[in-house]
């Protein structure tokens, strides 16, 4: 299986990339302008269960990454930096 471009995003490995693909976000561009909460809810819907909330934090980072051409705010380069 080839590596997804989503894996360029910090904190996104093959497993999280597959979550995004299943939730209909197959590319970095597809995340641009999205709401991370909506991405999370689509992931939950696809999996038919409540996904660990840590995934929401990853999606917040991923959307910011997509919206800012791969740049993240200083001090917000890890998924745990995006917690509530």
């Amino acid at each position: 299986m080839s590596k997804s471009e989503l894996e360029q995003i910090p904190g996104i490995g093959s497993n999280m990339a597959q979550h995004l693909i299943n939730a209909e976000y197959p590319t970095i561009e597809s995340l641009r302008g999205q709401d991370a909460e909506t991405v999370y809810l689509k992931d939950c819907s696809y999996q038919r269960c409540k996904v660990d909330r840590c995934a929401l934090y990853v999606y917040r980072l991923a959307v910011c990454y997509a919206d800012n051409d791969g740049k993240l705010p200083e001090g917000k380069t890890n998924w745990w930096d995006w917690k509530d």
Side-chain angles (χ1 to χ4, degrees):
M1 182 157 96
S2 63
K3 190 171 182 172
S4 165
E5 75 171 57
L6 295 166
E7 293 179 57
Q8 296 173 39
I9 302 171
I12 304 254
S14 60
N15 184 47
M16 289 306 296
Q18 192 60 55
H19 280 245
L20 286 166
I21 292 165
N22 293 343
E24 301 178 358
Y25 300 98
T27 63
I28 293 171
E29 183 61 33
S30 67
L31 289 167
R32 190 180 302 271
Q34 297 300 315
D35 174 68
E37 184 80 25
T38 301
V39 175
Y40 173 75
L41 292 173
K42 285 180 82 174
D43 185 16
C44 292
S45 177
Y46 178 83
Q47 295 193 52
R48 296 186 176 146
C49 68
K50 185 169 181 175
V51 176
D52 188 299
R53 193 143 172 94
C54 293
L56 172 60
Y57 312 146
V58 173
Y59 300 153
R60 287 176 180 164
L61 182 153
V63 168
C64 182
Y65 182 95
D67 285 346
N68 294 286
D69 298 317
K71 296 179 186 87
L72 293 169
E74 188 173 330
K76 290 222 171 219
T77 57
N78 301 298
W79 65 265
W80 56 84
D81 299 323
W82 296 84
K83 293 193 290 187
D84 296 326

